[in-house]
Amino acid sequence: MSHVNDTTSAAAKSSIKETAENDTTAKLEMFFMPEWFAVVRTTTPVKDIAELRKEGWNWIMKEGAEWVKLETSRGKKKVLQTFKHTLKGYVGPDKGLIFSLWEDDEEQLKAKL
Protein backbone atom coordinates (compact mmCIF):
# COMPACT_ATOMS: atom_id res chain seq x y z
CA MET A 1 0.00 0.00 0.00
CA SER A 2 1.22 3.50 -0.62
CA HIS A 3 0.20 7.10 -0.65
CA VAL A 4 1.59 10.37 -1.92
CA ASN A 5 3.40 12.45 0.65
CA ASP A 6 3.20 16.20 -0.01
CA THR A 7 6.66 17.65 0.43
CA THR A 8 5.82 21.30 -0.20
CA SER A 9 3.45 23.61 1.61
CA ALA A 10 2.05 24.90 -1.70
CA ALA A 11 1.13 21.38 -2.70
CA ALA A 12 -0.53 20.82 0.65
CA LYS A 13 -2.82 23.76 -0.08
CA SER A 14 -3.79 22.57 -3.55
CA SER A 15 -6.33 19.89 -4.31
CA ILE A 16 -5.28 16.25 -4.49
CA LYS A 17 -5.84 16.24 -8.25
CA GLU A 18 -3.72 19.35 -8.77
CA THR A 19 -1.01 17.87 -6.58
CA ALA A 20 -0.96 14.64 -8.55
CA GLU A 21 -0.79 16.49 -11.85
CA ASN A 22 1.51 19.41 -10.99
CA ASP A 23 3.70 18.68 -7.96
CA THR A 24 6.88 17.03 -9.13
CA THR A 25 8.23 17.02 -5.55
CA ALA A 26 5.54 14.61 -4.29
CA LYS A 27 6.94 11.17 -3.65
CA LEU A 28 5.47 7.74 -3.02
CA GLU A 29 5.82 6.38 0.52
CA MET A 30 4.93 2.99 1.91
CA PHE A 31 2.44 2.68 4.75
CA PHE A 32 0.36 -0.11 6.29
CA MET A 33 3.55 -2.11 5.94
CA PRO A 34 6.16 -2.46 8.68
CA GLU A 35 9.69 -1.45 7.79
CA TRP A 36 10.88 -5.01 8.30
CA PHE A 37 8.79 -6.10 5.34
CA ALA A 38 11.00 -4.14 2.97
CA VAL A 39 13.91 -6.30 4.14
CA VAL A 40 12.04 -9.59 4.62
CA ARG A 41 10.57 -9.61 1.12
CA THR A 42 14.08 -9.80 -0.34
CA THR A 43 15.00 -12.89 1.72
CA THR A 44 11.74 -14.77 2.33
CA PRO A 45 9.64 -16.68 -0.22
CA VAL A 46 6.34 -15.02 -1.13
CA LYS A 47 4.44 -18.12 0.05
CA ASP A 48 5.91 -17.73 3.56
CA ILE A 49 5.17 -14.01 3.64
CA ALA A 50 1.56 -14.71 2.56
CA GLU A 51 1.19 -17.23 5.39
CA LEU A 52 2.57 -14.74 7.94
CA ARG A 53 0.19 -12.09 6.63
CA LYS A 54 -2.75 -14.50 6.86
CA GLU A 55 -1.89 -15.40 10.45
CA GLY A 56 -1.48 -11.75 11.38
CA TRP A 57 -4.72 -10.73 9.68
CA ASN A 58 -6.68 -13.49 11.42
CA TRP A 59 -5.24 -12.43 14.76
CA ILE A 60 -6.02 -8.74 14.29
CA MET A 61 -9.57 -9.48 13.14
CA LYS A 62 -10.15 -11.53 16.30
CA GLU A 63 -8.27 -9.44 18.86
CA GLY A 64 -8.57 -6.01 17.26
CA ALA A 65 -12.35 -5.83 17.51
CA GLU A 66 -11.97 -4.34 20.98
CA TRP A 67 -9.53 -1.67 19.81
CA VAL A 68 -11.77 0.15 17.34
CA LYS A 69 -15.36 1.32 17.65
CA LEU A 70 -17.21 1.60 14.37
CA GLU A 71 -19.38 4.62 13.74
CA THR A 72 -21.67 4.98 10.74
CA SER A 73 -22.55 8.33 9.22
CA ARG A 74 -25.55 8.17 6.89
CA GLY A 75 -26.68 10.86 4.47
CA LYS A 76 -24.72 13.69 2.90
CA LYS A 77 -25.18 16.13 5.81
CA LYS A 78 -23.99 13.67 8.46
CA VAL A 79 -21.13 12.40 6.27
CA LEU A 80 -19.93 15.97 5.68
CA GLN A 81 -20.20 16.81 9.38
CA THR A 82 -18.24 13.72 10.40
CA PHE A 83 -15.65 14.33 7.69
CA LYS A 84 -15.11 17.90 8.92
CA HIS A 85 -14.71 16.61 12.49
CA THR A 86 -12.10 14.19 11.20
CA LEU A 87 -10.18 16.96 9.43
CA LYS A 88 -10.20 19.05 12.61
CA GLY A 89 -8.69 16.16 14.56
CA TYR A 90 -11.74 15.32 16.66
CA VAL A 91 -11.76 11.66 15.61
CA GLY A 92 -9.22 9.50 17.38
CA PRO A 93 -7.46 6.38 16.15
CA ASP A 94 -9.92 4.26 18.12
CA LYS A 95 -12.75 5.19 15.72
CA GLY A 96 -13.48 3.38 12.48
CA LEU A 97 -15.69 5.51 10.30
CA ILE A 98 -18.18 4.15 7.80
CA PHE A 99 -19.63 6.69 5.38
CA SER A 100 -22.82 6.11 3.41
CA LEU A 101 -24.51 8.73 1.28
CA TRP A 102 -27.75 6.78 1.58
CA GLU A 103 -29.99 8.27 4.27
CA ASP A 104 -31.04 4.79 5.38
CA ASP A 105 -31.11 1.18 4.22
CA GLU A 106 -34.67 1.51 2.90
CA GLU A 107 -33.59 4.16 0.42
CA GLN A 108 -30.88 1.88 -0.90
CA LEU A 109 -33.38 -0.93 -1.44
CA LYS A 110 -35.61 1.36 -3.51
CA ALA A 111 -32.75 2.46 -5.78
CA LYS A 112 -32.93 1.27 -9.37
CA LEU A 113 -29.61 0.43 -10.90
Side-chain angles (χ1 to χ4, degrees):
M1 297 269 168
S2 63
H3 71 289
V4 174
N5 178 32
D6 291 325
T7 57
T8 63
S9 60
K13 293 177 183 175
S14 67
S15 73
I16 293 171
K17 183 177 180 182
E18 289 170 343
T19 299
E21 293 173 352
N22 302 323
D23 185 5
T24 58
T25 64
K27 65 177 185 169
L28 226 50
E29 287 187 352
M30 302 308 278
F31 73 105
F32 291 140
M33 184 171 27
E35 290 178 358
W36 64 263
F37 184 73
V39 174
V40 171
R41 70 180 179 181
T42 63
T43 60
T44 306
V46 173
K47 181 180 175 185
D48 294 346
I49 294 172
E51 186 61 33
L52 289 170
R53 186 179 68 175
K54 180 181 174 184
E55 290 173 11
W57 183 256
N58 289 338
W59 179 83
I60 198 77
M61 292 306 292
K62 180 180 174 187
E63 301 296 325
E66 298 176 15
W67 303 348
V68 177
K69 291 193 180 250
L70 297 178
E71 291 183 3
T72 303
S73 295
R74 296 189 191 281
K76 61 184 178 183
K77 289 180 183 177
K78 183 66 177 167
V79 167
L80 182 59
Q81 177 187 15
T82 304
F83 187 73
K84 286 180 178 179
H85 275 81
T86 304
L87 292 177
K88 291 179 181 178
Y90 299 143
V91 179
D94 61 331
K95 301 287 186 209
L97 302 176
I98 301 169
F99 294 112
S100 174
L101 294 177
W102 298 104
E103 294 293 333
D104 57 40
D105 290 335
E106 289 297 317
E107 185 175 345
Q108 184 175 4
L109 293 174
K110 294 176 187 174
K112 294 182 182 179
L113 301 177

